[in-house]
Amino acid sequence: MLNFDYRNPTHIVFGKDRIAELDQLIPADARVMVTYGGGSVKRFGTLDKVLSALGSRHIVEFGGIEANPKFETLAKAATLAREESVDFLLAVGGGSVMDGTKFIALATKHEGDASSLLFHGFAPVPLDSKDVLPLGTIATLPATGSEMNAFGVISYQGGKFPVNHPSIYPTFSLLDPTLTFSLPKIQVANGVVDAFVHVLEQYATYPVDARVQDRTAEGIMRTLIEIGPVTVAEPENYQARANLMWSATSALNGMIGVGVPFDWTTHMIGHELTALFNIDHAQTLAVVLPSVWRIRSTQKQAKLLQYAERVWDITEGDEAARVEQAIVKTENFFQQVGLKTRLRDHDVTKEQISSVIDALEAHGMTALSESGDLDLDISREILEMAW
């Protein structure tokens, strides 16, 4: 197992009918900006419940945060937060709203061009913690795990840029599965696949004898396989949706990632597909992951064989056959919950693959994988196989 530090300060408030507890979770004298995306939180009454629970606090609303939140929108929110002397942020929505609110937390007190906060890669944004606003979240879409980590992804000038800082862990996250019952089926399917791939990118690398992390990751994946199709088909099945919600949170709250190598290749290529062709994030993952594994099966063989046996119960056949069978079962699972697994099914042409490679190069994604040896030629090979 590799050396690691681990800290997660987020207070999880899980279960039905917990919104009223906001009054105890946020300081009584806080000036609160409530952020959200489209109109669903209004249509289904969630926003009214939130505003009621906040009582007499000074409240500022900021709606319209997009899927794949745009820097320009978030900069407007940060300006409003400064003007209103906001000192607490409350995100009500899915991963995009939560990610965007984390950026607002970083940008509100920042002097100078807020776009400079985007260019630190996976290193923490160099801000003093006293200059970062505290935030909480109310998750309405189980998918990204943003409700229990210190990361976000922001869209800017045709690219998607990660940001992180130890002070943008939410102070609390309220997870009520019933708030997700009204989601369209495709968004639920996206959440299942997003969570599943988050686990895999921390798991399907090479062995380091991290037994607790491996077994926990395998448990999350088996849970998603069991309940994924159920929760898509039965949106008000509380137990299935509750297990999806906690699986998505657990997939990226840091616990399964301590002491192990990562491979974010699928995410990095997927980000460019989203930026260029407006394909839902999780749907890019369903397209890219199987081809990453087929191209990199030699480098990942030990963990893919472990995955085949422990997640899919595949024990028969030679090693190459078991790995391929596991990849096929993974593709079938993505399709079963409702996602496509080929680029051409998203109306991307073979000729457009070059534009993805150009974007990867422009954004410095020229040495991907757990070993840093996946260059642009291999990325092209992955995309061509995924077509």
Side-chain angles (χ1 to χ4, degrees):
M1 194 185 309
L2 308 179
N3 292 355
F4 66 87
D5 293 342
Y6 181 64
R7 168 184 175 269
N8 195 315
T10 301
H11 171 193
I12 295 295
V13 182
F14 191 100
K16 299 177 184 179
D17 303 324
R18 307 293 300 271
I19 287 178
E21 297 175 40
L22 285 173
D23 191 48
Q24 287 77 51
L25 295 167
I26 297 175
D29 59 350
R31 298 175 66 87
V32 182
M33 174 180 276
V34 179
T35 60
Y36 51 92
S40 61
V41 296
K42 290 186 174 181
R43 287 196 307 274
F44 298 111
T46 304
L47 184 61
D48 285 342
K49 292 177 183 176
V50 168
L51 297 178
S52 176
L54 290 173
S56 60
R57 292 172 178 83
H58 180 82
I59 300 170
V60 180
E61 291 184 41
F62 188 89
I65 296 177
E66 311 87 352
N68 308 302
K70 295 179 180 178
F71 166 79
E72 294 79 7
T73 301
L74 306 175
K76 292 177 183 177
T79 298
L80 179 61
R82 280 194 296 274
E83 292 172 350
E84 294 284 344
S85 300
V86 166
D87 54 21
F88 195 94
L89 302 172
L90 180 62
V92 185
S96 292
V97 174
M98 291 186 269
D99 283 11
T101 303
K102 290 175 179 180
F103 186 78
I104 298 167
L106 295 170
T108 297
K109 294 185 178 182
H110 178 65
E111 297 181 1
D113 184 357
S115 68
S116 65
L117 302 172
L118 297 173
F119 306 123
H120 301 280
F122 290 106
V125 175
L127 290 178
D128 193 295
S129 291
K130 66 180 176 57
D131 294 324
V132 181
L133 292 184
L135 69 133
T137 81
I138 300 176
T140 63
L141 173 60
T144 69
S146 189
E147 63 273 10
M148 201 178 178
N149 65 42
F151 292 86
V153 179
I154 309 303
S155 296
Y156 179 66
Q157 294 187 348
K160 296 185 73 174
F161 296 86
V163 293
N164 88 85
H165 189 280
S167 292
I168 58 173
Y169 278 101
T171 60
F172 68 87
S173 285
L174 193 152
L175 311 182
D176 181 346
T178 67
L179 297 180
T180 75
F181 284 177
S182 59
L183 289 169
K185 287 187 176 183
I186 190 60
Q187 289 191 26
V188 179
N190 284 347
V192 171
V193 171
D194 199 4
F196 199 83
V197 177
H198 281 155
V199 177
L200 285 169
E201 289 187 308
Q202 301 165 87
Y203 175 90
T205 55
Y206 55 84
V208 291
D209 198 24
R211 302 185 190 196
V212 172
Q213 296 91 315
D214 279 359
R215 292 293 191 185
T216 305
E218 291 153 6
I220 295 170
M221 288 187 284
R222 291 188 72 112
T223 298
L224 288 167
I225 290 165
E226 291 166 359
I227 58 90
V230 176
T231 200
V232 170
E234 303 174 20
E236 296 192 15
N237 182 324
Y238 179 84
Q239 295 301 337
R241 190 59 58 87
N243 276 285
L244 170 59
M245 199 162 212
W246 189 235
S247 292
T249 300
S250 301
L252 206 59
N253 67 3
M255 186 64 185
I256 64 170
V258 295
V260 302
F262 306 150
D263 178 15
W264 299 111
T265 298
T266 297
H267 260 71
M268 296 303 101
I269 297 175
H271 284 165
E272 304 301 350
L273 293 173
T274 295
L276 289 168
F277 308 116
N278 200 32
I279 306 170
D280 288 354
H281 172 62
Q283 296 181 38
T284 71
L285 307 180
V287 166
V288 174
L289 179 77
S291 294
V292 170
W293 282 0
R294 288 187 170 109
I295 297 296
R296 304 288 287 182
S297 59
T298 299
Q299 292 86 347
K300 296 177 179 291
Q301 185 179 47
K303 289 305 289 285
L304 288 178
L305 287 169
Q306 180 176 305
Y307 169 72
E309 178 178 353
R310 294 187 184 178
V311 176
W312 293 108
D313 301 317
I314 298 169
T315 58
E316 302 293 330
D318 62 30
E319 291 184 347
R322 279 180 276 154
V323 167
E324 177 60 22
Q325 190 178 348
I327 296 173
V328 169
K329 281 185 173 289
T330 305
E331 287 178 311
N332 290 343
F333 172 59
F334 295 163
Q335 294 164 4
Q336 184 184 11
V337 296
L339 271 59
K340 301 168 183 176
T341 55
R342 311 300 299 182
L343 264 181
R344 58 180 173 269
D345 292 333
H346 293 284
D347 298 322
V348 177
T349 68
K350 273 192 173 181
E351 291 71 25
Q352 289 174 309
I353 288 173
S354 291
S355 64
V356 184
I357 300 303
D358 291 343
L360 286 167
E361 184 172 22
H363 297 138
M365 301 299 163
T366 58
L368 301 174
S369 88
E370 61 269 42
S371 50
D373 62 347
L374 197 152
D375 60 19
L376 293 175
D377 289 338
I378 301 174
S379 290
R380 181 182 294 275
E381 188 178 357
I382 288 165
L383 287 163
E384 289 175 348
M385 179 176 284
W387 190 82

